[in-house]
Amino acid sequence: MAILKGLAEDGGLYMPSEIPELEVSLEHLAGMSYQETAYEVMRLFLTDYTEEELKDCIDRAYDSKFDTADIAPLKEADKACYLELFHGSTIAFKDMALSILPYLMTTAAKKNQVENEIVILTATSGDTGKAAMAGFADVPGTRIIVFYPKGGVSRVQELQMVTQKGDNTAVVAIHGNFDDAQTGVKKIFGDSEFGKRLAAKGFQLSSANSINIGRLVPQVAYYVYAYGKMVQSKKIKCGDEINVAVPTGNFGNILAAYFAKQMGLPIKTLICASNDNKVLYDFFRTGIYDKKREFILTSSPSMDILISSNLERLIYLSAGCDAQENKKRMEQLGEAGAYTVTEDMRRRMADFWGGYATEEENQTEIRRLFEKTGYLIDTHTGVASAVYQKYVKESGDLTPVVIASTASPYKFSHSVMAAVSGKAEEGDEFASIDQMNQVSGVAIPRAVEEIRNAQIRHTRECDGNQMEDMVTEILGL
Ligand SMILES: *Cc1c(COP(=O)(O)O)cnc(C)c1O
């Protein structure tokens, strides 16, 4: 039910009543395929699904949509392991969860005898929207509406969205930033009058954002899988600790790593990497979450976020699962724009190390790694890589690291090529793409070729406060 609903009725986020322990041994993990690992992890959370149902969802999600049988290959460069999470149909890590979410949702709808059409409302900082539409396009019994910040996403991201096919898809550009889009979506969810109008017409809302627990659970799987691969390739021995570094926006991806740690995976430090929107870095340093600051547009747009929704789940766990305390803080954030956590809670978050990279540090890191190893990373992975370097410098901790590589460099080719050449890119996006192909030797992904000549199908725009009207119009209420 939590997956179907997306957001709880009181506006809070769903949480598992407890985080289960891994049952498979670490020795065993090393030989397991991605699908087997995903099943081992997901079955512990999604206990309402039968073995057959869950395995069916997994097999349909992680298939030839991915361009490698490994699904999430691990690449070593300059002694760090980059976990490539971008081999799915939209070449960013959101595919890892969004290729399975539609199957989880439609299976849950069937089990719960839901007759309504499910309307997925999604705010995107660039990658979720396309990945969700790719997953839900033409899925019977579903509609999907995506809101993205106009001018706040890369050209490839925008083209991927506005050319999306499928009769049940709609895309709207918001005059505002990601937080405006996300707040607008949460508001629609909280409007019970609107919910009634929808229900009268046979619709019910759900979310494909990482506030949906069905996004988080599949993401735990790849950290467990990465550990197995590290053992298999003899980079570590069974039981050795690893660090993970994650380029962070909405705090979903790194929270999944934290869940993996809570399940018993030997993770030491969770390195939380921010760009210039460094609200999380400040939070981990001071214990104060303060969103009242300028929203900065960077070359890692999918991390341009000041309200990291999933932090709410960590706060909840750190306060001893006290839902009232949690609600108080989330209300403070809404009303005063800030909240503080106690010393005791900070101690419970000591597994996290917050860092950030400026635009220049990010560019320098992308160039350094490319010149040293020939390995090209995107601007989000660049942030994580740069912050990891800072972490090592500050701590001296050389524990083997897995860096989450969240997007193909082709998705941000303008910025990546500018970083590599050290000067601003001229010409259009596709010129940079062809140039990237020449210097990196990595084949241009199908997802990029597809949009080169695709027809633009979506041109809707609106202000942040008109989102509900837009939904009304699109659904014909
Ligand atoms: C969404 C996204 C992120 C941020 O992930 P969160 O789970 O929101 O913290 C980082 N990089 C890329 C490429 C993304 O699409």
Side-chain angles (χ1 to χ4, degrees):
M1 251 350 231
I3 290 180
L4 272 178
K5 288 201 165 157
L7 195 68
E9 265 149 30
D10 62 3
L13 307 190
Y14 284 109
M15 272 295 276
S17 50
E18 60 183 36
I19 296 178
E21 241 171 80
L22 271 180
E23 288 175 9
V24 61
S25 74
L26 297 178
E27 282 81 7
H28 206 81
L29 262 183
M32 282 165 55
S33 70
Y34 191 84
Q35 292 81 355
E36 289 164 344
T37 313
Y39 177 69
E40 265 310 308
V41 171
M42 291 175 66
R43 73 179 179 89
L44 301 171
F45 290 95
L46 306 180
T47 47
D48 290 345
Y49 292 74
T50 65
E51 174 171 353
E52 193 191 347
E53 285 167 346
L54 190 52
K55 283 189 169 162
D56 181 56
C57 290
I58 290 172
D59 289 341
R60 285 158 72 182
Y62 305 112
D63 62 3
S64 57
K65 285 192 284 301
F66 286 76
D67 66 9
T68 160
D70 278 350
I71 307 294
L74 205 57
K75 300 269 170 75
E76 189 172 349
D78 193 28
K79 298 197 277 304
C81 289
Y82 291 82
L83 178 63
E84 294 189 350
L85 301 171
F86 56 77
H87 289 271
S89 51
T90 76
I91 60 174
F93 95 94
K94 305 295 198 295
D95 290 325
M96 300 306 295
L98 285 167
S99 35
I100 194 164
L101 188 67
Y103 297 115
L104 293 176
M105 233 180 232
T106 46
T107 305
K110 218 180 284 162
K111 285 169 86 74
N112 290 288
Q113 277 121 31
V114 171
E115 306 275 334
N116 285 340
E117 198 161 6
I118 299 170
V119 180
I120 317 287
L121 286 192
T122 294
T124 183
S125 58
D127 288 326
T128 292
K130 177 65 188 186
M133 286 192 290
F136 281 101
D138 292 328
V139 172
T142 70
R143 302 265 201 121
I144 174 160
I145 304 173
V146 166
F147 296 96
Y148 75 93
K150 192 167 173 61
V153 301
S154 86
R155 185 67 188 141
V156 171
Q157 288 177 316
E158 183 167 42
L159 279 174
Q160 278 188 321
M161 288 189 278
V162 298
T163 60
Q164 175 66 44
K165 296 189 185 132
D167 291 337
N168 64 339
T169 65
V171 180
V172 184
I174 298 290
H175 308 137
N177 59 38
F178 170 73
D179 289 331
D180 299 326
Q182 177 162 258
T183 304
V185 164
K186 280 190 185 162
K187 215 191 249 153
I188 297 176
F189 270 89
D191 184 343
S192 56
E193 281 306 310
F194 190 63
K196 280 187 207 140
R197 266 172 63 207
L198 284 169
K201 296 274 181 172
F203 293 114
Q204 73 182 60
L205 296 178
S206 189
S207 162
N209 282 107
S210 53
I211 52 177
N212 190 322
I213 193 77
R215 275 278 301 276
L216 218 50
V217 169
Q219 291 182 182
V220 179
Y222 49 74
Y223 291 103
V224 178
Y225 179 70
Y227 191 90
K229 290 285 146 201
M230 300 272 284
V231 173
Q232 193 186 34
S233 58
K234 306 216 161 32
K235 290 183 178 54
I236 55 170
K237 290 194 300 297
C238 252
D240 285 355
E241 288 191 312
I242 60 168
N243 287 335
V244 296
V246 185
T248 298
N250 225 358
F251 208 74
N253 200 359
I254 195 163
L255 187 71
Y258 182 66
F259 277 24
K261 176 172 174 144
Q262 300 296 99
M263 293 177 83
L265 198 72
I267 295 175
K268 186 177 167 195
T269 302
L270 298 133
I271 300 163
C272 175
S274 301
N275 63 22
D276 280 319
N277 295 293
K278 59 185 182 57
V279 61
L280 287 166
Y281 163 83
D282 292 335
F283 171 69
F284 284 118
R285 295 282 142 139
T286 62
I288 302 167
Y289 193 95
D290 186 353
K291 68 161 189 170
K292 301 187 303 297
R293 59 183 78 204
E294 192 194 344
F295 188 102
I296 301 168
L297 292 176
T298 72
S299 62
S300 44
S302 304
M303 299 161 64
D304 290 345
I305 292 175
L306 293 179
I307 306 171
S308 299
S309 291
N310 278 289
L311 188 66
E312 177 178 334
R313 290 191 163 110
L314 178 67
I315 301 289
Y316 171 76
L317 289 173
S318 308
C321 302
D322 185 334
Q324 279 313 318
E325 274 292 309
N326 216 45
K327 187 153 187 256
K328 226 167 57 198
R329 290 204 170 80
M330 294 311 127
E331 280 168 2
Q332 282 168 1
L333 182 63
E335 284 153 21
Y339 61 81
T340 306
V341 295
T342 63
E343 278 308 310
D344 200 36
M345 288 168 71
R346 289 186 69 192
R347 265 192 296 280
R348 290 193 210 160
M349 294 180 207
D351 294 335
F352 289 86
W353 188 90
Y356 75 99
T358 62
E359 287 292 271
E360 198 186 332
E361 287 166 335
N362 185 8
Q363 290 190 345
T364 307
E365 174 64 6
I366 293 171
R367 185 165 62 243
R368 179 195 74 81
L369 192 68
F370 181 67
E371 285 174 355
K372 187 164 178 187
T373 67
Y375 185 60
L376 199 55
I377 54 178
D378 94 291
T379 43
H380 303 74
T381 312
V383 169
S385 200
V387 168
Y388 171 66
Q389 299 298 334
K390 285 189 181 181
Y391 170 76
V392 170
K393 208 175 255 171
E394 200 174 303
S395 66
D397 178 10
L398 291 171
T399 302
V401 70
V402 168
I403 297 177
S405 180
T406 49
S408 160
Y410 278 108
K411 208 158 185 177
F412 304 93
S413 29
H414 236 80
S415 308
V416 172
M417 289 317 293
V420 168
S421 68
K423 51 181 195 287
E425 275 296 283
E426 287 162 12
D428 79 350
E429 192 72 35
F430 287 97
S432 305
I433 286 168
D434 292 331
Q435 204 191 349
M436 179 175 290
N437 176 244
Q438 279 166 15
V439 306
S440 73
V442 175
I444 299 176
R446 194 171 47 201
V448 172
E449 289 299 358
E450 269 170 14
I451 55 169
R452 222 185 254 267
N453 301 306
Q455 200 191 338
I456 291 179
R457 301 185 63 244
H458 304 274
T459 52
R460 284 191 173 94
E461 289 185 20
C462 77
D463 289 338
N465 57 11
Q466 297 172 328
M467 288 166 61
E468 204 166 278
D469 299 340
M470 257 303 162
V471 175
T472 303
E473 182 191 312
I474 291 165
L475 296 177
L477 293 179

